[in-house]
């Protein structure tokens, strides 16, 4: 296997487009980050390096801004995003147990959020405003309430089954 880079021919083309739009002024850190994330699904470090060079702005400025805004991600996101609410009501109803089960089932190591096959990202958020149906889990934008451990594992199995039908 060769070294993985997001800046293959296709990636370079996307980066060029972004640079053409924004590459002349130094004040455009946020829109550039937004476009990078849109183009690549996350904010790749190697792309930031090139943009920073082109603009002659220190890389650290991009990362500083991106860290400040929670909307930016520095590593690839899974094809499926599972978001578990960990607000108070959901916590009381056992959301931690749900998250732990997901991490275990998907073999996601401590401190990481995405499965090694790139299929699933598990994230926690604060109260999503649906406390009356706690615990709440959002699977690919679909809000599920009163989620049981068994129900969640069933959903997971469905998603896993959906990926490799041809094998
Ligand atoms: S705490 Fe989970 S929806 Fe409010």
């Amino acid at each position: 296997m060769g070294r993985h880079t997001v800046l293959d021919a296709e990636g370079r083309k996307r980066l060029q487009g972004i640079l053409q739009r924004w590459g002349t002024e130094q004040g455009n850190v946020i829109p550039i980050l937004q476009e990078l994330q849109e183009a690549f699904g996350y904010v790749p470090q190697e792309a930031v390096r090139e943009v920073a060079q082109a603009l002659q702005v220190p890389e650290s400025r991009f990362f500083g801004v991106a860290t400040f805004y929670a909307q930016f991600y520095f590593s690839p996101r899974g094809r499926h995003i599972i978001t578990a609410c960990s607000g108070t009501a959901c916590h009381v109803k056992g959301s931690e147990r749900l998250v732990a089960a997901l991490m275990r089932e998907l073999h996601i190591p401590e401190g990481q959020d995405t499965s090694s096959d790139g299929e699933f990202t598990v994230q926690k958020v604060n109260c999503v405003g649906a406390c009356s149906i706690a615990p709440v889990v959002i699977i690919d934008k679909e809000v599920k309430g009163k989620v049981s451990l068994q129900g969640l594992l069933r959903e997971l199995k469905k998603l896993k089954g959906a990926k490799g039908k041809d094998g």
Side-chain angles (χ1 to χ4, degrees):
M1 297 251 156
R3 201 173 62 92
H4 176 75
T5 171
V6 293
L7 293 180
D8 52 10
E10 173 60 33
R12 275 207 177 276
K13 218 161 64 194
R14 291 182 210 163
L15 184 61
Q16 277 313 322
I18 295 172
L19 276 175
Q20 262 158 30
R21 264 193 301 285
W22 302 103
T24 50
E25 286 165 64
Q26 301 195 342
N28 295 321
V29 170
I30 291 176
I32 290 174
L33 285 167
Q34 278 165 341
E35 288 212 12
L36 284 175
Q37 180 152 301
E38 224 166 88
F40 296 98
Y42 70 108
V43 180
Q45 187 163 358
E46 44 182 323
V48 168
R49 190 169 304 140
E50 300 227 356
V51 172
Q53 260 166 26
L55 263 69
Q56 300 188 329
V57 169
E59 269 174 60
S60 58
R61 223 175 104 206
F62 284 88
F63 290 117
V65 168
T67 315
F68 183 74
Y69 291 93
Q71 55 171 309
F72 295 116
Y73 309 112
F74 294 115
S75 52
R77 311 279 291 158
R79 201 158 64 90
H80 298 292
I81 310 285
I82 304 181
T83 306
C85 177
S86 61
T88 308
C90 290
H91 182 81
V92 167
K93 297 270 186 175
S95 63
E96 278 305 317
R97 219 163 58 101
L98 299 178
V99 173
L102 286 171
M103 303 300 265
R104 200 173 49 235
E105 282 295 311
L106 295 167
H107 308 292
I108 300 175
E110 178 95 39
Q112 289 179 29
D113 63 1
T114 300
S115 59
S116 58
D117 59 2
E119 284 290 304
F120 293 92
T121 292
V122 177
Q123 61 188 13
K124 294 195 270 186
V125 291
N126 288 326
C127 179
V128 295
C131 305
S132 62
I133 54 166
V136 176
V137 175
I138 304 167
I139 301 179
D140 292 333
K141 297 196 177 137
E142 201 182 315
V143 178
K144 315 245 180 217
K146 299 195 195 277
V147 174
S148 69
L149 186 54
Q150 289 202 331
L152 183 62
L153 294 180
R154 234 187 348 259
E155 291 288 337
L156 195 60
K157 212 165 164 183
K158 262 198 270 172
L159 290 175
K160 279 184 175 173
K163 81 166 184 184
K165 286 237 167 71
D166 42 328

